Amino acid sequence: MKILLGVGGSEHSRRALEETVERVRDTGDELTVAVFRSEAVAAPPTDIEADVNEVLETHDVNAEVTRVSGHPGGELVTLADQGGYDRLVIGGGTRSPLGKIQLGSVAEFVVLNAETPVTLIR
Amino acid sequence: MSGDRSYPTEVSGPFPTPPHAFTDEDGRNIVVRVADDREALVSMYEAFDPEDRAQGIPPVGEGSIRRWLDRVFEEECLNVIAWHGEDAVGHSMLVPDDENAYELAIFVLGSHQSAGIGTELLQTLLGHGKQQGIERVWLTVERWNDPAIGLYEKVGFEIRNTESFELEMAIRIADS
């Protein structure tokens, strides 16, 4: 399976990264990690990319790491739909003060707009 | 949470304060009280219909229900329960956010829905909140949930944000 993982540097996307890389290590799927800039995250894309590479190395997993600019949701969807991917994976979903789950804007855009099946890790 | 949330300028109310007794539209005697018994809510939520859940709450299973109740019963949170005899049939809560406002949620057991209990429960919670010095309250609701949106509007909530999955609504219950 050919998997595209979107990573924006949030806590949720960090978890999505760990889970996906662990899974890819077991399945041997072909993984591409797309780093995007999220409004809610202060870390520059270079830091996020370094973190992604470190996680990949720790788990001894090979993956192409790419960067998307512009509208992150739109770019991820285009990349997944046109790049022949079987699955688009994204982290997302924060909790409100009283515990309601709320989707972030990138996750929401991807879920609504991707033709490629989406896995949301929250 | 979004720091740009705006609240109506008009103050809504007046609202009843707990304890608030009334007869529902099916002739049942209901009383809304400040919550002092969490156990009754555990049973209520264990009996809760999965289709009446909203955005992941109430959670499923006793352990998760208890953990969630611990959170909404923390200090500075306000909780009221609608009682039908010995049974808790509705629960509404206010939980503080980081911006001096409160998030609201309300749940009514399926067996006791569509009888006006939600309206009274909601109004009594807002009356209680005002008594405790709360000024601004907000909530999120699934945009397809017309009965709930209608209920919130009836009480004075206004729609604030229509851009995301959930609709955000806000009310002012006291002047700043």
Side-chain angles (χ1 to χ4, degrees):
Chain A
M1 194 155 85
K2 210 177 153 190
I3 298 172
L4 177 66
L5 168 71
V7 174
S10 70
E11 221 173 282
H12 310 91
S13 84
R14 187 65 166 64
R15 228 185 54 222
L17 171 69
E18 291 272 356
E19 283 191 24
T20 307
V21 169
E22 277 170 26
R23 192 174 152 75
V24 164
R25 186 192 51 202
D26 297 341
T27 59
D29 286 333
E30 186 185 336
L31 174 66
T32 304
V33 181
V35 174
F36 63 85
R37 211 188 170 111
S38 148
E39 282 171 16
V41 176
T46 42
D47 285 12
I48 302 170
E49 213 172 302
D51 185 44
V52 168
N53 283 319
E54 201 181 304
V55 172
L56 288 169
E57 261 172 49
T58 310
H59 293 85
D60 201 18
V61 165
N62 281 318
E64 188 191 332
V65 181
T66 176
R67 225 186 269 180
V68 297
S69 49
H71 185 275
E75 295 288 323
L76 284 173
V77 167
T78 308
L79 192 57
D81 292 351
Q82 292 179 0
Y85 287 92
D86 302 297
R87 180 80 49 155
L88 171 52
V89 182
I90 191 154
T94 53
R95 288 199 179 254
S96 75
L98 65 72
K100 284 188 174 180
I101 292 162
Q102 293 168 323
L103 286 186
S105 59
V106 177
E108 187 182 309
F109 185 91
V110 163
V111 167
L112 290 176
N113 292 288
E115 302 280 333
T116 307
V118 175
T119 298
L120 175 71
I121 298 182
R122 58 164 176 78
Chain B
M1 292 303 305
S2 52
D4 55 358
R5 185 180 301 111
S6 66
Y7 293 85
T9 43
E10 288 282 303
V11 173
S12 296
F15 299 116
T17 53
H20 171 59
F22 61 95
T23 305
D24 79 0
E25 288 158 21
D26 293 337
R28 294 174 290 216
N29 292 321
I30 307 290
V31 58
V32 177
R33 296 183 197 283
V34 174
D36 49 11
D37 179 9
R38 226 180 291 185
E39 285 309 306
L41 289 177
V42 176
S43 334
M44 176 184 124
Y45 284 120
E46 279 183 314
F48 215 69
D49 194 328
E51 72 180 37
D52 288 330
R53 298 174 70 211
Q55 294 152 263
I57 58 169
V60 175
E62 189 187 334
S64 304
I65 290 170
R66 285 186 187 279
R67 276 193 298 280
W68 173 64
L69 286 174
D70 284 346
R71 176 176 188 160
V72 303
F73 271 82
E74 273 176 22
E75 227 176 301
E76 290 184 46
C77 298
L78 300 183
N79 288 265
V80 295
I81 298 176
W83 294 93
H84 178 210
E86 300 284 296
D87 298 323
V89 297
H91 173 211
S92 192
M93 69 216 82
L94 286 166
V95 176
D97 66 12
D98 298 332
E99 288 156 12
N100 235 340
Y102 282 71
E103 183 184 8
L104 179 146
I106 176 170
F107 295 100
V108 176
L109 265 190
S111 55
H112 287 68
Q113 285 176 9
S114 306
I117 295 175
T119 309
E120 303 275 353
L121 179 58
L122 195 56
Q123 289 177 328
T124 310
L125 176 66
L126 293 172
H128 181 44
K130 185 180 171 126
Q131 263 182 340
Q132 302 296 314
I134 293 173
E135 293 162 3
R136 296 168 302 157
V137 174
W138 59 275
L139 58 84
T140 61
V141 55
E142 283 115 336
R143 53 180 60 253
W144 44 262
N145 195 347
D146 291 331
I149 295 167
L151 164 64
Y152 298 135
E153 281 183 327
K154 186 163 92 180
V155 168
F157 279 89
E158 290 178 10
I159 292 171
R160 274 327 192 216
N161 168 346
T162 54
E163 277 162 30
S164 56
F165 257 21
E166 302 87 21
L167 213 58
E168 207 170 282
M169 303 181 79
I171 191 172
R172 180 181 296 280
I173 56 175
D175 279 317
S176 306

